Amino acid sequence: MQPDRAVSFLLAAFITGVVSAATPTDVTDTQREQTLKERISAANIGSYIESMTAHPTFPGAPFARTVAQMTLAKFKAWGWDAKIETFTIPFPRPTERAVELLTPQKFVAKLHEPAVPGDPYSEQQSEHLEPFFIYGPDGDVTAPALYVNFGLRDDYEQLASLGQSVKGKIVIVRAGGMWRGGKVQLAAEHGALAMLIYSDPKEDGYYRGPAYPEGGWRTPDGVQRGSILYGKFPGDPLTPFVAADAKAKRLAINSPENTVARIPALPLSFADAQPILESMQGGVAPESWRGALPITYRVGASSAAVHLKIKYQWKNIEIRDVVARLAGTTFGKEEVVRGNHRDGWVFGAQDPHSGHSAMLEEARVLGELYKGGWRPKRTIVYCSWEAEEQGVIGSTEWVEAHLAELQKNAVAYLNTDVTGPGSLRPTGSSSYTAFVTELAASITDPNSNVSVLKRAQLKAEADIYPRPGSTAMGMSLGAATLDALKNLIHLDPPGYGSDHHAFVSHAGVATVNLAFGDDLNMGSYHTAYDDYAWYERFGDPQFKYGRVTAQINAVAVLRLADADMLPMEFTATARSTDDEVTHLKNLYASVKSATDRSNRAVELGAYQVLTDPTQPRVAPPLKTVPPLDFSALDQATVAIKSAADRFEAAKAAAASAHLTDAQIANVNSALMNVERSYLRKGGLPERPHYRNELFSPGRLWDTVPVPAIGDAILDEQWAVAQAQIPLAAQTLEHIAAAIDTSTAELKKAAGERRR
Ligand SMILES: [Zn+2]
């Protein structure tokens, strides 16, 4: 899981007047939901986590195979038709790792997470996967180090104005703010030789709360492992577009076409980073660059050379996706897909077993209903993925293997990944906004006993625990959107940090991510301390939020599987499209105003007059930002809004018509195609695997509005930005047309019935 995805709630209030086809229509449906919710057991969830994280679960670990078999056996025992699908992927593991400061005093980084008193798992040292970044090149570099804050685009601009460059240096940055592979890519583009990423206590250490084992926050030795793939495509770095099976053609490890990082990199604990940061010279870092270590953060190369060495041994390993089905009846070809990954960086009690255990408990109770005679109208597919942490590999390879079938039949993909204490933080496809709102109204928050919808609404409207760094809600959304959201929960765009990634960006399958946890403690994130001993104290004590996660997802699956007409609506789609276009315009406006400000400072001679001679500032070059014409996007947005209104009118008119199953299936097929129509034919420029016009990541796996245009704006490629506007607008027109096709199908069916 990537922790950096935007998590925000907008005004959400108890919904009135939104009735979808998925609402329980008779006593039996309501009773079935009630039974489902009651039977979900917190104790079971705890026992799955304990048994499945007894040893490390990373791909290739001996216990990972055992856990795959345990998962398969459970599904089978619970009445599911289950099997394992395997893929073969490269798994480079380091044989040599070194980070040292050569002078003035020699310091050798530990690169190791020692045992912690009271945590027996932390003593299973020989089984742990050592701290490293996967999918980078070997390297042996000796150079001065330079601190660049989080290592984001703006940080490099600020660095240049401070008269510094990373060319020929080892860059050291804090973790957070963006996908770490994007950071490595940016450092390489700026001429750095290598990169170190450390966890500053400000983000997840003692600044946030007491360190483990006293509290749950990161210890001085905790290291955030991770993948550093460059985000040109997700999944196995060597097999874009095709499943990594025996017959797949593989790119070479040194091919420029793959997604392996271009410069070597290693992660550090803050205990290991501090001596390196202390060796920096030069001016004091800007306020926003300072972390929480007891040192002066500086922006100037280290006096001493830093030596970084990493050598990998590349091996192919097998990964195992466990895929289980309950066959549907009336609409049996259509599929509701639910998944969660099973692999951790080491034990992975929180990431991913907080979500994986909830998914298993859902499967157990759904299996009980099935054994009791219930048959879902749609086929339900449960997927336990492997190798998510390395780059959403197990899920991406599976999507590539089953692409045609998914595009024809998948009505939605539901994902969780990490879940825990706090409010519901739903993300996903806006066409399911009303569906999720109703769902949230029917689930009870275990701590407060109000509905999880009510809790989410209070969180948005009257937060008494604002989090450091959280942004004010809804700042960039228009008044009409904010008004509409008073009655609805807001689904943030799905983001890219977990297994829904390929479903959304490549296959155009609607996604719904129902996890909890704005009060999550992420202090063990990607460390060896994310184990059962940590989890039962600090992750989700008594597994209460595991239980509510299983409840909301099980009811979501039940409703999606048994609905006649799919519970989709498109007024939220129109709003979310409008939001994306607004975000894009805001992005352009912010780049333009920053450039105007900078140009003016240069023209007025501010850099000569105001410079502190001890900390000289360098005038940036004058730049021009040409006007961009967004009108094609505006027109397309209006077209989606009108199409959504026509669909709502047709739905209201058809409300009393009793459609045949065949007619409903036709309408559903048109509805599914609305999500597919987000895909641009041929994919995004230079990244053809990414096809979703609005919900693909930026080129650095960051969140960028309308990425084909947004990336060009961020990279100041103005001609590209202008050329992409009509192309993106064309995709939006396709969305409007697909909604109109659904309307036509619905009218046709209702008309036929009336005759
Ligand atoms: Zn995860």
Side-chain angles (χ1 to χ4, degrees), residues 1 341 351-352 388-389 417:
M1 181 220 183
H341 73 104
D351 181 6
E388 186 269 356
E389 295 294 2
D417 210 333

Side-chain angles (χ1 to χ4, degrees), residues 523-543:
S524 71
Y525 178 68
H526 288 190
T527 70
Y529 309 118
D530 179 8
D531 58 29
Y532 187 75
W534 179 92
Y535 189 77
E536 66 168 349
R537 291 181 62 202
F538 305 109
D540 182 15
Q542 297 161 24
F543 316 107

Side-chain angles (χ1 to χ4, degrees), residues 404 434 691:
R691 306 193 292 185

Side-chain angles (χ1 to χ4, degrees), residues 166-169 186-194 263:
V166 300
K167 240 187 208 108
K169 300 193 180 78
L186 273 183
E189 288 173 8
H190 283 90
L193 298 179
I263 56 171

Side-chain angles (χ1 to χ4, degrees), residues 305-321:
V306 171
H307 175 222
L308 176 153
K309 186 170 187 190
I310 173 94
K311 196 167 164 34
Y312 296 93
Q313 186 177 33
W314 286 68
K315 257 181 30 189
N316 282 338
I317 60 158
E318 278 206 332
I319 59 166
R320 297 169 185 85
D321 292 340

